[in-house]
């Protein structure tokens, strides 16, 4: 019996969906009075193409996002110029209590909750194309992409690094009427030179005709190149899918991504959850990655794996399985090999660490101290000539993955030093870094600093 079969035999059926609250919004703006009942996430702002339009000159074009969840309505500011307030408190992200109001610009949006919506219809199988999942979170994604595949809408597939965005894009293509036609991926981060970008896009546009064109991280493109994409997208000779780990709406508000291009790409948005939010899929995924090999892990190791934060998500799990398949990890040494995962990205802070402002993730100084067998990190700014052992494997992976890891470590180290210099004063830190305080808070939370 496989690991996945064993997991299923204990549950007898797939994980069910949960009922969701049904929030109602009431507000009055320059266009009149409005009443909206939410059942799906909505992008809100003053732009006429927003899913929920607020006619208020003090509201940003893409101002905030509303997401109905099981525990209520969640609101997330998208880097707006005037901020988003809940109950009079400026927030970056938060849940809206019943009877509270969301204030954006000069508009107050009253929020109440009706009877729960019926459970979301989930995909009825544990697989979709080449994808596998038993969790409700991922089967809801399967149901969404199955519905989208029947249309010709452009789609943004958004998620953290390593969550399987390209696999989702491939599955969507294979389930569409364009299956069998070209599937062309453009790695936008590799197109740094304008001439190279022009040549690559010309070739890709020709190759993708009749099929699907995937733009991976289009936010890396210059505004000029973004502008050139509009005519071929409007021509609709191929379907456009986007894979990105960045929220393009925020970049629109920052002026580094064209609003008109965003709305052309966002015919639908699929958000792929991180592995830690659908950890029930760890066993079937590991079973898939191990293939025909006999199970190499026991219940205790599975329990240990499920407690890890998996910062590189499914990609990290695949690397772990590959090491098991290759014999790099044998049955006896499997548990000890978990230590190697420490260097793959930031850890989720423990409750104790969050309280005292520390983090589990190793800083660059800590890695260098380990490399040099020191008990204390070297002083800030100390010169070094060798790379820490934990970083060396990064130079053997693909450039995009290396870049993601390196930037992540650099951001974390920058924030750590910034908060040391400013004695953890958020005001002083935001001024020194030239960042809005709310954005600084999000970075600090992201990196556990």
């Amino acid at each position: 019996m496989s690991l996945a079969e064993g997991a299923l035999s204990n549950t007898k059926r797939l994980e069910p969906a949960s009922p969701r609250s049904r929030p109602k919004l009431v507000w009055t703006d320059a266009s009149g009075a409005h009443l909206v009942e939410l059942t799906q996430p909505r992008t809100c702002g003053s732009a006429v193409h927003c899913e929920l339009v607020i006619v208020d000159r003090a509201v940003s074009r893409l101002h905030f996002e509303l997401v109905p969840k099981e525990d209520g309505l969640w609101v997330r500011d998208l880097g707006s110029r005037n901020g988003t307030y809940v109950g009079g408190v400026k927030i970056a992200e938060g849940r809206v209590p019943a009877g509270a109001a969301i204030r954006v610009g000069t508009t107050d949006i009253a929020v109440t909750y009706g009877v729960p919506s019926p459970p979301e219809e989930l995909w009825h199988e544990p697989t979709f194309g080449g994808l596998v999942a038993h969790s409700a979170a991922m089967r809801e994604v399967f149901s969404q992409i199955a519905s989208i595949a029947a249309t010709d809408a452009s789609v943004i597939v958004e998620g953290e690094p390593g969550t399987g965005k390209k696999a989702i894009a491939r599955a969507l293509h294979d389930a569409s009427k364009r299956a069998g036609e070209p599937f062309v991926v453009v790695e936008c981060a590799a197109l740094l030179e304008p001439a190279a970008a022009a040549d690559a896009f010309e070739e890709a546009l020709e190759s993708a005709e009749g099929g699907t064109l995937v733009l991976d991280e289009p936010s890396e493109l210059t505004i000029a190149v973004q502008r050139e994409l509009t005519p071929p997208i409007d021509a609709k000779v191929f379907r456009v899918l986007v894979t990105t780990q960045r929220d393009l709406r925020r970049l629109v508000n920052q002026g580094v991504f064209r609003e008109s291009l965003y709305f052309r790409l966002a015919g639908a948005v699929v958000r792929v959850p991180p592995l830690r939010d659908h950890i029930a899929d760890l066993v079937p995924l590991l079973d898939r990655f191990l293939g025909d090999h006999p199970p190499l892990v026991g219940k205790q190791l599975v329990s240990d794996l499920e407690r890890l934060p998996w910062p590189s998500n499914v990609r990290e799990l695949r690397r772990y399985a590959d090491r098991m398949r290759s014999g790099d990890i044998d049955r006896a040494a499997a548990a000890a090999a978990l230590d190697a995962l420490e260097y793959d990205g930031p850890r989720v802070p423990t409750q104790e660490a969050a309280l005292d402002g520390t983090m589990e993730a190793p800083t660059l100084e800590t890695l260098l101290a380990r490399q040099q067998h020191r008990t204390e990190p070297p002083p800030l700014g100390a010169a070094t000539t060798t790379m820490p052992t934990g970083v060396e494997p990064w130079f053997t992976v693909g450039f995009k993955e290396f870049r993601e890891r390196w930037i992540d470590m650099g951001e974390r180290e920058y924030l750590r030093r910034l908060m040391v210099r400013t004695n953890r004063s958020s005001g002083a830190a935001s001024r020194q870094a030239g960042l809005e305080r709310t954005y600084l808070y999000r970075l600090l939370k992201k990196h556990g600093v």
Side-chain angles (χ1 to χ4, degrees):
M1 179 184 295
S2 71
L3 291 171
E5 289 169 340
L8 281 177
S9 66
N10 294 328
T11 60
K12 295 186 178 180
R13 62 188 180 90
L14 297 175
E15 181 184 342
S18 301
R20 291 181 172 174
S21 301
R22 184 177 293 174
K24 293 183 180 180
L25 313 178
V26 178
W27 78 96
T28 300
D29 58 22
S31 67
H34 306 271
L35 169 62
V36 173
E37 187 173 87
L38 283 186
T39 58
Q40 298 291 332
R42 291 290 180 261
T43 299
C44 315
S46 60
V48 295
H49 294 295
C50 280
E51 295 162 313
L52 198 156
V53 179
I54 311 293
V55 184
D56 182 335
R57 296 181 66 179
V59 170
S60 295
R61 304 282 292 171
L62 290 86
H63 195 111
F64 64 108
E65 179 185 37
L66 294 174
V67 182
K69 297 184 179 181
E70 286 80 3
D71 59 348
L73 179 66
W74 284 75
V75 58
R76 182 161 67 103
D77 187 81
L78 298 175
S80 63
R81 65 180 183 273
N82 291 327
T84 300
Y85 297 78
V86 174
V89 178
K90 189 175 184 179
I91 58 98
E93 183 175 12
R95 185 170 62 86
V96 185
I102 303 169
R103 185 173 181 84
V104 288
T106 61
T107 302
D108 288 313
I109 305 172
V111 178
T112 58
Y113 293 97
V115 297
S117 302
E120 292 285 334
E121 183 178 349
L122 302 183
W123 189 246
H124 52 283
E125 298 288 342
T127 59
F128 185 92
L131 307 174
V132 59
H134 296 159
S135 68
M138 282 305 298
R139 289 190 298 119
E140 187 173 329
V141 171
F142 289 178
S143 182
Q144 184 183 7
I145 61 177
S147 176
I148 295 171
T151 74
D152 228 10
S154 56
V155 183
I156 295 176
V157 183
E158 182 182 297
E160 292 181 8
T163 47
K165 298 183 290 294
K166 287 196 181 74
I168 292 284
R170 181 80 217 198
L172 201 158
H173 167 80
D174 290 343
S176 74
K177 64 184 180 183
R178 297 179 185 270
E181 299 298 330
F183 180 81
V184 180
V185 178
V186 178
E187 302 279 355
C188 299
L191 305 178
L192 301 180
E193 297 294 332
D199 292 342
F201 272 115
E202 183 177 354
E203 180 180 352
L205 296 178
E206 292 178 1
S207 301
E209 187 168 344
T212 299
L213 176 69
V214 179
L215 301 176
D216 182 62
E217 298 297 349
S219 59
E220 299 288 345
L221 300 173
T222 65
I223 290 292
V225 174
Q226 292 176 29
R227 186 181 298 112
E228 294 300 319
L229 278 175
T230 300
I233 289 176
D234 286 345
K236 298 185 183 301
V237 296
F238 45 72
R239 185 180 201 166
V240 180
L241 306 181
V242 167
T243 53
T244 180
Q245 59 179 292
R246 307 185 70 182
D247 190 332
L248 299 181
R249 298 168 300 183
R250 288 183 171 274
L251 302 184
V252 170
N253 283 332
Q254 295 169 15
V256 296
F257 199 80
R258 286 175 59 82
E259 180 184 309
S260 60
L261 178 58
Y262 170 79
F263 283 115
R264 283 176 169 84
L265 299 174
V269 178
V270 175
R271 293 184 173 87
V272 188
L275 181 56
R276 61 183 175 274
D277 288 349
H278 60 105
I279 203 66
D281 292 328
L282 186 144
V283 169
L285 285 169
L286 189 58
D287 191 50
R288 168 70 65 87
F289 297 153
L290 289 174
D292 296 332
H293 286 56
L296 300 174
V297 294
K299 291 183 178 179
Q300 182 57 52
L301 182 58
V302 168
S303 178
D304 291 339
L305 292 173
E306 289 178 339
R307 288 196 296 270
L308 288 172
W310 298 103
S312 295
N313 295 293
V314 178
R315 179 192 297 152
E316 187 175 9
L317 181 63
R318 182 187 288 275
R319 284 201 304 269
Y320 187 76
D322 288 344
R323 292 183 63 192
M324 297 177 71
R325 287 168 56 94
S326 67
D328 187 27
I329 303 177
D330 61 25
R331 200 167 192 163
L338 293 176
D339 291 340
L341 298 177
E342 178 178 2
Y343 302 107
D344 282 344
R347 297 272 186 175
V348 175
T350 62
Q351 185 176 10
E352 295 79 6
L355 289 174
D356 65 14
T358 61
M359 59 184 179
E360 281 190 283
T363 65
L364 182 57
E365 274 75 19
T366 304
L367 291 175
L368 290 170
R370 291 173 182 168
Q371 171 76 3
Q372 298 165 9
H373 307 291
R374 298 167 60 166
T375 58
E376 296 293 331
L380 293 178
T384 58
T385 56
T386 59
M387 298 302 298
T389 303
V391 171
E392 284 295 340
W394 297 4
F395 292 90
T396 63
V397 301
F399 174 76
K400 182 183 176 186
E401 183 175 346
F402 165 81
R403 183 171 176 269
E404 291 169 354
R405 295 189 190 185
W406 192 263
I407 289 174
D408 190 78
M409 183 177 69
E411 283 186 358
R412 186 167 64 249
E413 186 61 22
Y414 177 89
L415 292 169
R416 187 186 73 83
R417 295 176 183 230
L418 175 67
M419 300 313 287
V420 168
R421 287 198 308 271
T422 59
N423 197 27
R424 299 198 67 83
S425 167
S426 58
S430 64
R431 287 192 298 272
Q432 282 197 23
L435 297 172
E436 290 288 340
R437 195 174 302 188
T438 54
Y439 184 56
L440 174 64
Y441 289 151
R442 288 184 64 82
L443 288 174
L444 293 172
K445 180 181 178 181
K446 171 187 174 183
H447 294 290
V449 177

